[in-house]
Amino acid sequence: MKVYFVGAGPGDPELITVKGRRLLEEADVVIYAGSLVNPEILRYAAPGARLYNSAALTLEEILAIMQSAVAKGEKVVRLHTGDPSLYGAIQEQIDALEEQGLPYEIVPGVSSFAAAAAAVKREFTLPGLSQTLILTRRAGRTPVPAAEGLPALSCHRASLCLFLSSQDLAAAATELARGYGEATPAAVVYKASWPEERVIYGTLADIAARAREAGIDRTALLLVGDFLGGSYQRSRLYDPDFSHSFRPGRPTDD
Ligand code: SAH
């Protein structure tokens, strides 16, 4: 039996993958990140499954639960919010499982950045505006390498999604305005895909104040970039004059 790291998705219980849900239904043990995983998703677990909230556990305790369950031939699901590859602290768990020779598998999930784009009904990568998405955070207790500070990243003027920084929005907006300019559109998406989802729109000049007025100080993403409103070129993929391997282009006169 194995340990499965499963992405729970951003909140909406229907945004877990089919595979993730099946594993959850089959699991003997579920260790979930209680601070962010929607409790509704735990309803997919079997009635007899043992549930542990990892918020109250150390890495060593989590590993001990995994080890004893796998030794008994049980299936373990380690449920992480969004996609486990982003700010999930899974690497230290993976490395420990490797060391102990315990089998494991990773099942991706829908990250909150994708749910935030859905909430604002915008595409991050618009031709002529940006073809790059920066996923980053401000330094907190976890440091951020100096070269990845917001003033440095803002020089690219790429579409940007800021995690884990809801309490630092004013500082973040000031730093980002250096490269983007204060007039650049910004949005704060609170609890994307949850019933209580909210979106606050503004620019880098006022987004922090607007979010503060709305009382948003956690579980939010800051989206920044002209993709939120600037004019863009239409896609060449669906341009009648542009041919690609699945569709011949319209013959042109020249
Ligand atoms: N692995 C997760 C991110 C975990 S870090 C993912 O892929 O989404 C936790 C941070 O993610 C929060 O501080 C917040 O910035 C963001 N976040 C997680 N779920 C969110 C949601 N539903 N709406 C908005 N932000 C969310």
Short mmCIF file of all heavy atoms in Angstrom, two decimals, residues 94-158:
data_model
loop_
_atom_site.label_atom_id
_atom_site.label_comp_id
_atom_site.label_asym_id
_atom_site.label_seq_id
_atom_site.Cartn_x
_atom_site.Cartn_y
_atom_site.Cartn_z
N ILE A 94 8.32 13.83 0.95
CA ILE A 94 8.77 12.92 -0.11
C ILE A 94 10.16 12.38 0.21
O ILE A 94 10.42 11.17 0.12
CB ILE A 94 8.80 13.67 -1.46
CG1 ILE A 94 7.38 13.97 -1.91
CG2 ILE A 94 9.57 12.90 -2.51
CD1 ILE A 94 7.30 14.91 -3.11
N ASP A 95 11.06 13.28 0.60
CA ASP A 95 12.44 12.86 0.86
C ASP A 95 12.50 11.87 2.02
O ASP A 95 13.26 10.90 2.00
CB ASP A 95 13.33 14.08 1.12
CG ASP A 95 13.51 14.91 -0.15
OD1 ASP A 95 13.16 14.42 -1.24
OD2 ASP A 95 13.97 16.06 -0.06
N ALA A 96 11.66 12.11 3.04
CA ALA A 96 11.64 11.19 4.18
C ALA A 96 11.08 9.83 3.76
O ALA A 96 11.60 8.78 4.17
CB ALA A 96 10.80 11.78 5.32
N LEU A 97 10.04 9.83 2.92
CA LEU A 97 9.48 8.55 2.45
C LEU A 97 10.50 7.79 1.61
O LEU A 97 10.63 6.57 1.71
CB LEU A 97 8.19 8.79 1.65
CG LEU A 97 7.00 9.37 2.43
CD1 LEU A 97 5.78 9.49 1.53
CD2 LEU A 97 6.64 8.51 3.64
N GLU A 98 11.23 8.54 0.78
CA GLU A 98 12.30 7.92 -0.03
C GLU A 98 13.31 7.24 0.88
O GLU A 98 13.73 6.12 0.64
CB GLU A 98 13.03 8.99 -0.87
CG GLU A 98 12.25 9.50 -2.06
CD GLU A 98 12.37 8.59 -3.29
OE1 GLU A 98 13.16 7.65 -3.26
OE2 GLU A 98 11.62 8.83 -4.25
N GLU A 99 13.71 7.97 1.92
CA GLU A 99 14.72 7.46 2.85
C GLU A 99 14.25 6.20 3.54
O GLU A 99 15.01 5.26 3.73
CB GLU A 99 14.98 8.53 3.91
CG GLU A 99 16.43 8.72 4.26
CD GLU A 99 16.57 9.99 5.07
OE1 GLU A 99 16.35 9.91 6.30
OE2 GLU A 99 16.86 11.06 4.48
N GLN A 100 12.96 6.18 3.89
CA GLN A 100 12.40 5.02 4.59
C GLN A 100 11.98 3.92 3.62
O GLN A 100 11.51 2.87 4.05
CB GLN A 100 11.19 5.44 5.43
CG GLN A 100 11.54 6.41 6.55
CD GLN A 100 10.30 7.00 7.22
OE1 GLN A 100 9.18 6.59 6.94
NE2 GLN A 100 10.50 7.96 8.09
N GLY A 101 12.08 4.20 2.33
CA GLY A 101 11.69 3.20 1.35
C GLY A 101 10.19 2.97 1.28
O GLY A 101 9.74 1.89 0.89
N LEU A 102 9.40 3.97 1.67
CA LEU A 102 7.93 3.81 1.59
C LEU A 102 7.44 4.25 0.21
O LEU A 102 7.84 5.29 -0.29
CB LEU A 102 7.23 4.69 2.65
CG LEU A 102 7.36 4.30 4.12
CD1 LEU A 102 6.44 5.18 4.96
CD2 LEU A 102 7.02 2.85 4.34
N PRO A 103 6.56 3.44 -0.40
CA PRO A 103 6.07 3.81 -1.73
C PRO A 103 5.06 4.96 -1.67
O PRO A 103 4.26 5.03 -0.73
CB PRO A 103 5.39 2.52 -2.23
CG PRO A 103 5.07 1.75 -1.01
CD PRO A 103 6.01 2.17 0.08
N TYR A 104 5.12 5.84 -2.65
CA TYR A 104 4.20 6.98 -2.66
C TYR A 104 3.95 7.41 -4.10
O TYR A 104 4.69 7.04 -5.01
CB TYR A 104 4.77 8.15 -1.85
CG TYR A 104 6.03 8.73 -2.46
CD1 TYR A 104 5.95 9.77 -3.38
CD2 TYR A 104 7.28 8.19 -2.15
CE1 TYR A 104 7.09 10.27 -3.98
CE2 TYR A 104 8.42 8.69 -2.75
CZ TYR A 104 8.32 9.73 -3.66
OH TYR A 104 9.45 10.21 -4.27
N GLU A 105 2.91 8.21 -4.26
CA GLU A 105 2.55 8.73 -5.59
C GLU A 105 1.95 10.12 -5.38
O GLU A 105 1.36 10.38 -4.33
CB GLU A 105 1.49 7.80 -6.21
CG GLU A 105 1.28 7.98 -7.68
CD GLU A 105 0.26 6.97 -8.22
OE1 GLU A 105 0.33 5.76 -7.88
OE2 GLU A 105 -0.63 7.42 -8.97
N ILE A 106 2.11 10.98 -6.39
CA ILE A 106 1.58 12.34 -6.28
C ILE A 106 0.47 12.53 -7.31
O ILE A 106 0.66 12.24 -8.48
CB ILE A 106 2.70 13.38 -6.49
CG1 ILE A 106 3.80 13.14 -5.45
CG2 ILE A 106 2.16 14.80 -6.38
CD1 ILE A 106 5.07 13.91 -5.71
N VAL A 107 -0.67 13.00 -6.85
CA VAL A 107 -1.82 13.24 -7.74
C VAL A 107 -2.06 14.75 -7.77
O VAL A 107 -2.41 15.35 -6.75
CB VAL A 107 -3.07 12.51 -7.21
CG1 VAL A 107 -4.27 12.77 -8.11
CG2 VAL A 107 -2.79 11.02 -7.08
N PRO A 108 -1.84 15.38 -8.93
CA PRO A 108 -1.96 16.84 -8.98
C PRO A 108 -3.39 17.33 -8.72
O PRO A 108 -4.34 16.55 -8.74
CB PRO A 108 -1.52 17.18 -10.41
CG PRO A 108 -1.50 15.92 -11.17
CD PRO A 108 -1.48 14.79 -10.21
N GLY A 109 -3.49 18.64 -8.47
CA GLY A 109 -4.81 19.22 -8.22
C GLY A 109 -4.95 20.56 -8.91
O GLY A 109 -3.98 21.10 -9.46
N VAL A 110 -6.13 21.11 -8.87
CA VAL A 110 -6.39 22.43 -9.44
C VAL A 110 -5.89 23.48 -8.45
O VAL A 110 -6.39 23.57 -7.33
CB VAL A 110 -7.90 22.66 -9.68
CG1 VAL A 110 -8.16 24.07 -10.19
CG2 VAL A 110 -8.44 21.63 -10.65
N SER A 111 -4.89 24.24 -8.86
CA SER A 111 -4.34 25.24 -7.95
C SER A 111 -5.28 26.44 -7.82
O SER A 111 -6.07 26.74 -8.72
CB SER A 111 -2.99 25.72 -8.48
OG SER A 111 -2.49 26.74 -7.65
N SER A 112 -5.13 27.15 -6.72
CA SER A 112 -5.98 28.33 -6.50
C SER A 112 -5.71 29.42 -7.54
O SER A 112 -6.58 30.23 -7.82
CB SER A 112 -5.78 28.89 -5.08
OG SER A 112 -4.44 29.19 -4.84
N PHE A 113 -4.51 29.43 -8.15
CA PHE A 113 -4.28 30.48 -9.15
C PHE A 113 -5.20 30.27 -10.37
O PHE A 113 -5.66 31.24 -10.98
CB PHE A 113 -2.80 30.58 -9.55
CG PHE A 113 -2.30 29.54 -10.51
CD1 PHE A 113 -2.53 29.66 -11.87
CD2 PHE A 113 -1.58 28.45 -10.06
CE1 PHE A 113 -2.07 28.70 -12.77
CE2 PHE A 113 -1.12 27.48 -10.93
CZ PHE A 113 -1.37 27.60 -12.29
N ALA A 114 -5.47 29.00 -10.68
CA ALA A 114 -6.38 28.71 -11.79
C ALA A 114 -7.82 29.06 -11.40
O ALA A 114 -8.58 29.60 -12.22
CB ALA A 114 -6.27 27.23 -12.18
N ALA A 115 -8.18 28.79 -10.16
CA ALA A 115 -9.53 29.14 -9.70
C ALA A 115 -9.70 30.66 -9.65
O ALA A 115 -10.80 31.18 -9.90
CB ALA A 115 -9.78 28.53 -8.33
N ALA A 116 -8.61 31.38 -9.36
CA ALA A 116 -8.69 32.85 -9.32
C ALA A 116 -8.89 33.41 -10.72
O ALA A 116 -9.68 34.35 -10.92
CB ALA A 116 -7.43 33.42 -8.68
N ALA A 117 -8.21 32.83 -11.71
CA ALA A 117 -8.42 33.28 -13.10
C ALA A 117 -9.85 33.03 -13.52
O ALA A 117 -10.48 33.86 -14.19
CB ALA A 117 -7.45 32.55 -14.04
N ALA A 118 -10.40 31.89 -13.09
CA ALA A 118 -11.81 31.58 -13.41
C ALA A 118 -12.73 32.60 -12.74
O ALA A 118 -13.72 33.03 -13.32
CB ALA A 118 -12.14 30.16 -12.95
N ALA A 119 -12.38 33.00 -11.51
CA ALA A 119 -13.24 33.94 -10.78
C ALA A 119 -13.28 35.30 -11.47
O ALA A 119 -14.33 35.94 -11.52
CB ALA A 119 -12.73 34.09 -9.34
N VAL A 120 -12.13 35.75 -12.00
CA VAL A 120 -12.12 37.06 -12.67
C VAL A 120 -12.45 36.94 -14.17
O VAL A 120 -12.53 37.94 -14.86
CB VAL A 120 -10.77 37.81 -12.48
CG1 VAL A 120 -10.52 38.10 -11.02
CG2 VAL A 120 -9.59 37.06 -13.10
N LYS A 121 -12.63 35.70 -14.62
CA LYS A 121 -12.98 35.43 -16.03
C LYS A 121 -11.97 36.05 -16.98
O LYS A 121 -12.33 36.70 -17.97
CB LYS A 121 -14.40 35.94 -16.33
CG LYS A 121 -15.48 35.29 -15.47
CD LYS A 121 -16.86 35.75 -15.87
CE LYS A 121 -17.96 34.93 -15.21
NZ LYS A 121 -18.04 35.07 -13.77
N ARG A 122 -10.69 35.88 -16.69
CA ARG A 122 -9.62 36.41 -17.53
C ARG A 122 -8.61 35.31 -17.85
O ARG A 122 -8.48 34.35 -17.09
CB ARG A 122 -8.86 37.56 -16.85
CG ARG A 122 -9.70 38.74 -16.44
CD ARG A 122 -10.39 39.45 -17.58
NE ARG A 122 -9.46 39.98 -18.57
CZ ARG A 122 -9.88 40.61 -19.69
NH1 ARG A 122 -11.17 40.74 -19.95
NH2 ARG A 122 -8.99 41.08 -20.54
N GLU A 123 -7.88 35.51 -18.96
CA GLU A 123 -6.79 34.60 -19.35
C GLU A 123 -5.48 35.28 -18.98
O GLU A 123 -5.27 36.46 -19.30
CB GLU A 123 -6.87 34.35 -20.86
CG GLU A 123 -5.75 33.49 -21.39
CD GLU A 123 -5.90 33.16 -22.89
OE1 GLU A 123 -7.00 33.36 -23.45
OE2 GLU A 123 -4.91 32.70 -23.48
N PHE A 124 -4.59 34.55 -18.31
CA PHE A 124 -3.31 35.13 -17.88
C PHE A 124 -2.40 35.47 -19.07
O PHE A 124 -1.59 36.39 -18.99
CB PHE A 124 -2.54 34.15 -16.98
CG PHE A 124 -3.08 34.00 -15.59
CD1 PHE A 124 -3.49 32.75 -15.12
CD2 PHE A 124 -3.14 35.09 -14.72
CE1 PHE A 124 -3.96 32.61 -13.82
CE2 PHE A 124 -3.61 34.94 -13.42
CZ PHE A 124 -4.03 33.70 -12.97
N THR A 125 -2.50 34.67 -20.12
CA THR A 125 -1.54 34.79 -21.23
C THR A 125 -2.24 35.35 -22.46
O THR A 125 -2.84 34.61 -23.24
CB THR A 125 -0.97 33.39 -21.56
OG1 THR A 125 -2.06 32.48 -21.72
CG2 THR A 125 -0.07 32.90 -20.43
N LEU A 126 -2.18 36.66 -22.62
CA LEU A 126 -2.85 37.31 -23.74
C LEU A 126 -1.80 37.80 -24.74
O LEU A 126 -0.85 38.50 -24.35
CB LEU A 126 -3.69 38.49 -23.24
CG LEU A 126 -4.96 38.10 -22.47
CD1 LEU A 126 -5.63 39.35 -21.90
CD2 LEU A 126 -5.92 37.35 -23.37
N PRO A 127 -1.99 37.44 -26.03
CA PRO A 127 -1.01 37.87 -27.04
C PRO A 127 -0.83 39.38 -27.04
O PRO A 127 -1.81 40.13 -26.96
CB PRO A 127 -1.65 37.39 -28.35
CG PRO A 127 -2.57 36.28 -27.96
CD PRO A 127 -3.07 36.64 -26.60
N GLY A 128 0.39 39.82 -27.09
CA GLY A 128 0.67 41.26 -27.12
C GLY A 128 0.73 41.89 -25.74
O GLY A 128 1.22 43.00 -25.59
N LEU A 129 0.24 41.20 -24.70
CA LEU A 129 0.31 41.75 -23.34
C LEU A 129 1.31 40.97 -22.49
O LEU A 129 2.26 41.53 -21.98
CB LEU A 129 -1.07 41.70 -22.67
CG LEU A 129 -2.06 42.75 -23.14
CD1 LEU A 129 -3.34 42.66 -22.32
CD2 LEU A 129 -1.47 44.14 -23.00
N SER A 130 1.07 39.70 -22.32
CA SER A 130 2.02 38.88 -21.57
C SER A 130 1.84 37.42 -21.96
O SER A 130 0.72 36.95 -22.16
CB SER A 130 1.80 39.01 -20.07
OG SER A 130 2.70 38.15 -19.39
N GLN A 131 2.94 36.73 -22.07
CA GLN A 131 2.90 35.29 -22.35
C GLN A 131 3.54 34.53 -21.19
O GLN A 131 3.94 33.38 -21.34
CB GLN A 131 3.65 34.99 -23.66
CG GLN A 131 2.92 35.52 -24.90
CD GLN A 131 1.64 34.75 -25.18
OE1 GLN A 131 1.68 33.59 -25.59
NE2 GLN A 131 0.50 35.37 -24.94
N THR A 132 3.61 35.20 -20.05
CA THR A 132 4.29 34.63 -18.89
C THR A 132 3.44 34.84 -17.65
O THR A 132 2.84 35.90 -17.50
CB THR A 132 5.64 35.35 -18.68
OG1 THR A 132 6.41 35.23 -19.87
CG2 THR A 132 6.43 34.77 -17.51
N LEU A 133 3.41 33.85 -16.79
CA LEU A 133 2.73 34.01 -15.49
C LEU A 133 3.74 33.77 -14.38
O LEU A 133 4.39 32.73 -14.34
CB LEU A 133 1.58 32.99 -15.37
CG LEU A 133 0.89 32.93 -14.01
CD1 LEU A 133 0.28 34.27 -13.64
CD2 LEU A 133 -0.16 31.84 -14.00
N ILE A 134 3.87 34.74 -13.50
CA ILE A 134 4.76 34.60 -12.35
C ILE A 134 3.92 34.20 -11.14
O ILE A 134 2.98 34.90 -10.78
CB ILE A 134 5.50 35.92 -12.07
CG1 ILE A 134 6.40 36.29 -13.25
CG2 ILE A 134 6.32 35.81 -10.77
CD1 ILE A 134 7.11 37.63 -13.11
N LEU A 135 4.27 33.06 -10.53
CA LEU A 135 3.62 32.63 -9.29
C LEU A 135 4.64 32.88 -8.19
O LEU A 135 5.73 32.31 -8.21
CB LEU A 135 3.28 31.14 -9.34
CG LEU A 135 2.39 30.68 -10.48
CD1 LEU A 135 2.17 29.17 -10.40
CD2 LEU A 135 1.06 31.39 -10.46
N THR A 136 4.31 33.73 -7.24
CA THR A 136 5.30 34.04 -6.21
C THR A 136 4.62 34.42 -4.91
O THR A 136 3.39 34.30 -4.77
CB THR A 136 6.26 35.15 -6.71
OG1 THR A 136 7.34 35.28 -5.79
CG2 THR A 136 5.55 36.49 -6.87
N ARG A 137 5.42 34.82 -3.94
CA ARG A 137 4.93 35.23 -2.63
C ARG A 137 5.85 36.30 -2.09
O ARG A 137 6.97 36.46 -2.59
CB ARG A 137 4.92 34.05 -1.68
CG ARG A 137 6.34 33.51 -1.43
CD ARG A 137 6.41 32.49 -0.32
NE ARG A 137 5.98 33.08 0.93
CZ ARG A 137 5.76 32.40 2.05
NH1 ARG A 137 5.94 31.10 2.07
NH2 ARG A 137 5.37 33.01 3.14
N ARG A 138 5.41 37.00 -1.06
CA ARG A 138 6.33 37.88 -0.33
C ARG A 138 7.01 37.05 0.74
O ARG A 138 6.47 36.05 1.19
CB ARG A 138 5.56 39.02 0.35
CG ARG A 138 5.36 40.20 -0.55
CD ARG A 138 4.96 41.41 0.24
NE ARG A 138 6.08 42.29 0.49
CZ ARG A 138 6.46 42.72 1.68
NH1 ARG A 138 5.84 42.33 2.77
NH2 ARG A 138 7.47 43.54 1.79
N ALA A 139 8.16 37.50 1.15
CA ALA A 139 8.85 36.80 2.23
C ALA A 139 8.02 36.93 3.50
O ALA A 139 7.45 37.98 3.78
CB ALA A 139 10.22 37.40 2.43
N GLY A 140 7.91 35.85 4.24
CA GLY A 140 7.28 35.90 5.57
C GLY A 140 8.26 35.22 6.48
O GLY A 140 9.45 35.54 6.47
N ARG A 141 7.75 34.21 7.24
CA ARG A 141 8.71 33.42 8.01
C ARG A 141 9.58 32.61 7.06
O ARG A 141 10.72 32.28 7.37
CB ARG A 141 7.97 32.50 8.99
CG ARG A 141 7.74 33.19 10.32
CD ARG A 141 7.08 32.29 11.30
NE ARG A 141 5.73 31.93 10.87
CZ ARG A 141 4.90 31.15 11.54
NH1 ARG A 141 5.30 30.60 12.67
NH2 ARG A 141 3.69 30.89 11.10
N THR A 142 9.02 32.29 5.89
CA THR A 142 9.82 31.64 4.85
C THR A 142 10.48 32.72 4.00
O THR A 142 9.80 33.58 3.45
CB THR A 142 8.90 30.78 3.94
OG1 THR A 142 8.18 29.87 4.77
CG2 THR A 142 9.70 30.02 2.91
N PRO A 143 11.80 32.70 3.90
CA PRO A 143 12.47 33.75 3.12
C PRO A 143 12.28 33.54 1.62
O PRO A 143 11.98 32.43 1.17
CB PRO A 143 13.94 33.59 3.51
CG PRO A 143 14.08 32.18 3.96
CD PRO A 143 12.75 31.74 4.49
N VAL A 144 12.44 34.61 0.86
CA VAL A 144 12.39 34.55 -0.61
C VAL A 144 13.77 35.00 -1.10
O VAL A 144 14.29 36.01 -0.62
CB VAL A 144 11.29 35.49 -1.16
CG1 VAL A 144 11.38 35.63 -2.67
CG2 VAL A 144 9.90 34.98 -0.76
N PRO A 145 14.39 34.28 -2.03
CA PRO A 145 15.71 34.70 -2.53
C PRO A 145 15.67 36.14 -3.05
O PRO A 145 14.69 36.54 -3.68
CB PRO A 145 16.00 33.71 -3.66
CG PRO A 145 15.17 32.52 -3.35
CD PRO A 145 13.94 33.03 -2.66
N ALA A 146 16.73 36.90 -2.79
CA ALA A 146 16.75 38.33 -3.11
C ALA A 146 16.43 38.60 -4.58
O ALA A 146 15.70 39.54 -4.91
CB ALA A 146 18.12 38.91 -2.76
N ALA A 147 16.93 37.75 -5.46
CA ALA A 147 16.71 37.98 -6.90
C ALA A 147 15.24 37.82 -7.28
O ALA A 147 14.83 38.18 -8.38
CB ALA A 147 17.56 37.00 -7.71
N GLU A 148 14.43 37.23 -6.36
CA GLU A 148 13.01 37.01 -6.65
C GLU A 148 12.12 37.97 -5.88
O GLU A 148 10.92 37.73 -5.72
CB GLU A 148 12.63 35.57 -6.29
CG GLU A 148 13.38 34.56 -7.11
CD GLU A 148 13.09 33.13 -6.68
OE1 GLU A 148 12.11 32.89 -5.95
OE2 GLU A 148 13.87 32.26 -7.07
N GLY A 149 12.69 39.06 -5.38
CA GLY A 149 11.89 40.06 -4.68
C GLY A 149 10.91 40.70 -5.65
O GLY A 149 11.11 40.69 -6.87
N LEU A 150 9.83 41.25 -5.11
CA LEU A 150 8.79 41.81 -6.00
C LEU A 150 9.31 42.97 -6.86
O LEU A 150 8.92 43.07 -8.03
CB LEU A 150 7.56 42.24 -5.18
CG LEU A 150 6.83 41.07 -4.50
CD1 LEU A 150 5.59 41.59 -3.78
CD2 LEU A 150 6.45 40.01 -5.51
N PRO A 151 10.19 43.85 -6.34
CA PRO A 151 10.70 44.92 -7.22
C PRO A 151 11.40 44.32 -8.44
O PRO A 151 11.23 44.81 -9.56
CB PRO A 151 11.67 45.69 -6.32
CG PRO A 151 11.19 45.43 -4.94
CD PRO A 151 10.67 44.02 -4.96
N ALA A 152 12.18 43.25 -8.25
CA ALA A 152 12.89 42.63 -9.37
C ALA A 152 11.91 41.97 -10.33
O ALA A 152 12.00 42.15 -11.55
CB ALA A 152 13.90 41.60 -8.85
N LEU A 153 10.95 41.21 -9.79
CA LEU A 153 10.00 40.51 -10.66
C LEU A 153 9.11 41.48 -11.43
O LEU A 153 8.69 41.21 -12.55
CB LEU A 153 9.13 39.56 -9.84
CG LEU A 153 9.85 38.38 -9.18
CD1 LEU A 153 8.84 37.53 -8.41
CD2 LEU A 153 10.59 37.53 -10.21
N SER A 154 8.84 42.64 -10.81
CA SER A 154 7.89 43.57 -11.44
C SER A 154 8.45 44.17 -12.74
O SER A 154 7.69 44.64 -13.57
CB SER A 154 7.50 44.68 -10.47
OG SER A 154 8.59 45.53 -10.21
N CYS A 155 9.77 44.11 -12.91
CA CYS A 155 10.38 44.67 -14.13
C CYS A 155 9.89 43.97 -15.39
O CYS A 155 9.88 44.54 -16.47
CB CYS A 155 11.90 44.54 -14.08
SG CYS A 155 12.58 45.43 -12.71
N HIS A 156 9.48 42.70 -15.27
CA HIS A 156 9.04 41.94 -16.45
C HIS A 156 7.66 42.38 -16.93
O HIS A 156 7.29 42.11 -18.05
CB HIS A 156 9.02 40.45 -16.12
CG HIS A 156 10.36 39.91 -15.74
ND1 HIS A 156 11.34 39.67 -16.66
CD2 HIS A 156 10.88 39.59 -14.54
CE1 HIS A 156 12.42 39.21 -16.04
NE2 HIS A 156 12.16 39.16 -14.75
N ARG A 157 6.88 42.96 -16.07
CA ARG A 157 5.50 43.35 -16.36
C ARG A 157 4.68 42.15 -16.87
O ARG A 157 3.73 42.29 -17.65
CB ARG A 157 5.42 44.53 -17.34
CG ARG A 157 6.20 45.76 -16.86
CD ARG A 157 5.79 47.05 -17.53
NE ARG A 157 4.65 47.65 -16.86
CZ ARG A 157 3.42 47.70 -17.36
NH1 ARG A 157 3.16 47.20 -18.54
NH2 ARG A 157 2.46 48.27 -16.69
N ALA A 158 5.06 40.97 -16.42
CA ALA A 158 4.32 39.76 -16.78
C ALA A 158 3.06 39.66 -15.92
O ALA A 158 2.95 40.33 -14.89
CB ALA A 158 5.20 38.53 -16.54
#
